[in-house]
């Protein structure tokens, strides 16, 4: 892990599974502004842990779009695909404390056992060990080489973590307030998928610690995830950053902009003739620049 520094460290961490849109631009610019205000460092991390969706051509496009916006980063890019040993080491530490177990359950089996309960991301809530597969069958299938997801045993993890688990939340510039973490809302989260070397929740806390990140600036859609991240940080003995969850850019239908919804990309806006300063103005970062682009933030 990195050596603690008195210089604040921020990071922008997109996934290269599509082109950046205005929501990404807002998050990147929030990070840039926050780092500049405290003379901190701004790092770029590429979260390419999903081999089925992430492509190098999208990473190249991300770098191009961010440069066009005028955002400069410090140091080399950190790619999650190059940090597998770090994630394995963190998993082994958790496994050594009997906090991880293999799971062969399907989403349907989990949903049925949970009577429709969902985690904050909308996935079926998994509570306890495998609910659809008998222990003897699990062993036999694992011996036969069937891949399994690795899940966190939440009940045991919660018992070993500090009773008062919380984080400091600063939103978009307000005074910090203490937020009590509620990882129970996530159930037994996946730490390594059947086809992924690490799941988001594990990778992000390992990466933030390795990069010495002091301030995490990201969208409100990840607010609930912070509870899981604080639990993993406590279990792994990792430092807790300050958190700043910002507003989200919304489309005309009021929904969050996303790659899956094919939201208009920065590249498309550029091709339509908009300049970088107009994009920044539409998002509230260039108050003296006129722009016809309208963006709703909420």
């Amino acid at each position: 892990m990195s050596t603690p520094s008195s210089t604040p460290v921020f990071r922008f961490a997109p996934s290269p599974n599509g082109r950046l849109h205005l929501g990404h631009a807002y998050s990147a610019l929030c990070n840039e502004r926050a780092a500049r205000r405290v003379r901190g460092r701004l790092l770029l991390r590429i979260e390419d842990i999903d081999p089925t969706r992430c492509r190098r051509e999208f990473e190249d496009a991300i770098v191009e779009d961010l440069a066009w916006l005028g955002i400069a980063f410090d140091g080399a890019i950190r790619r999650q695909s190059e940090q597998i040993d770090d994630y394995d080491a963190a998993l082994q530490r958790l496994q050594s404390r009997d906090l991880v177990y293999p799971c062969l359950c399907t989403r349907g089996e989990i949903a049925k056992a949970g009577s429709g309960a969902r985690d904050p991301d909308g996935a079926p809530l998994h509570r306890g060990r495998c609910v659809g597969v008998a222990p003897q069958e699990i062993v036999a299938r694992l011996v036969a080489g069937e891949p399994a997801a690795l899940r966190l045993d939440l009940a045991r993890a919660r018992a070993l973590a500090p009773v008062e688990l919380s984080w400091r939340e600063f939103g978009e510039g307000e005074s910090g307030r203490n937020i009590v973490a509620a990882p129970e809302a996530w159930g037994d989260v996946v730490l390594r998928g059947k086809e992924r070397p690490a799941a988001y929740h594990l990778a992000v806390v390992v990466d933030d610690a390795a990069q010495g990140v002091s301030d995490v600036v990201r969208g409100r859609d990840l607010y609930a995830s912070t509870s899981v991240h604080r639990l993993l940080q406590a279990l792994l003995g990792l430092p807790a950053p300050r958190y700043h969850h910002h507003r989200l850019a919304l489309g005309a239908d009021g929904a969050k902009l996303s790659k899956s919804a094919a939201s208009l990309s920065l590249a498309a806006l550029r091709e339509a003739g908009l300049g970088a300063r107009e994009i920044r103005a539409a998002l509230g970062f260039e108050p003296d620049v006129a722009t016809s682009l309208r963006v709703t933030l909420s």
Side-chain angles (χ1 to χ4, degrees):
M1 298 302 172
S2 63
T3 302
S5 168
S6 59
T7 301
V9 177
F10 299 77
R11 49 76 164 172
F12 178 58
S15 295
N17 53 16
R19 299 301 297 258
L20 296 186
H21 52 62
L22 287 168
H24 296 114
Y26 185 69
S27 191
L29 290 167
C30 282
N31 272 281
E32 179 195 50
R33 179 174 60 189
R36 185 190 303 127
R37 282 175 174 171
V38 295
R39 298 183 179 181
R41 301 178 67 230
L42 178 57
L43 309 179
L44 177 60
R45 180 163 78 225
I46 299 297
E47 298 196 338
D48 58 348
I49 202 67
D50 183 351
T52 63
R53 299 179 61 204
C54 296
R55 305 206 308 247
R56 189 56 181 261
E57 66 190 77
F58 288 135
E59 178 186 328
D60 294 340
I62 285 170
V63 173
E64 178 185 356
D65 286 341
L66 294 172
W68 176 74
L69 278 174
I71 301 176
F73 293 90
D74 300 292
I77 295 174
R78 178 182 172 94
R79 297 179 182 86
Q80 288 187 333
S81 59
E82 299 171 353
Q83 317 304 326
I84 307 305
D85 288 347
D86 287 353
Y87 309 140
D88 285 345
L91 266 174
Q92 289 170 13
R93 291 174 61 189
L94 296 173
Q95 288 173 318
S96 70
R97 302 174 69 185
D98 195 25
L99 291 170
V100 178
Y101 65 88
C103 178
L104 296 170
C105 298
T106 65
R107 287 175 66 93
E109 289 167 338
I110 297 170
K112 182 178 179 180
S115 302
R118 302 276 171 170
D119 69 20
D121 277 346
L125 188 66
H126 192 295
R127 294 192 182 98
R129 303 273 170 154
C130 274
V131 293
V133 185
Q136 300 89 338
E137 183 181 347
I138 293 175
V139 173
R141 289 165 64 177
L142 291 176
V143 170
E146 182 175 340
L150 296 182
R151 290 184 178 274
L152 178 71
D153 186 329
L154 179 66
R156 181 167 172 77
R158 206 63 184 91
L160 295 178
V163 175
E164 296 296 329
L165 192 64
S166 62
W167 77 86
R168 293 293 290 172
E169 176 63 47
F170 293 84
E172 291 192 58
E174 66 259 29
S175 299
R177 53 199 174 97
N178 206 50
I179 305 297
V180 177
E184 292 80 8
W186 292 91
D188 290 9
V189 294
V190 173
L191 299 179
R192 189 176 75 192
K194 294 180 181 180
E195 298 178 351
R196 293 192 193 185
Y200 167 74
H201 295 303
L202 179 67
V204 72
V205 299
V206 171
D207 290 334
D208 285 342
Q211 292 186 285
V213 172
S214 63
D215 292 79
V216 172
V217 179
R218 61 189 183 188
R220 288 176 180 169
D221 54 334
L222 291 169
Y223 184 92
S225 297
T226 311
S227 287
V228 176
H229 301 170
R230 283 295 299 118
L231 176 59
L232 290 173
Q233 287 159 355
L235 294 171
L236 292 167
L238 304 179
R242 295 178 288 267
Y243 287 91
H244 313 247
H245 290 94
H246 59 67
R247 294 168 293 169
L248 303 177
L250 307 181
D253 59 356
K256 182 189 76 168
L257 297 179
S258 68
K259 295 170 186 170
S260 60
S263 298
L264 198 61
S265 69
L266 295 182
L269 293 171
R270 183 163 66 246
E271 291 169 3
L274 273 75
R277 294 192 69 197
E278 291 178 88
I279 299 295
R280 295 174 75 107
L283 294 170
F285 295 89
E286 293 276 357
D288 299 327
V289 175
T291 179
S292 60
L293 183 63
R294 296 290 178 263
V295 181
T296 300
L297 298 170
S298 179

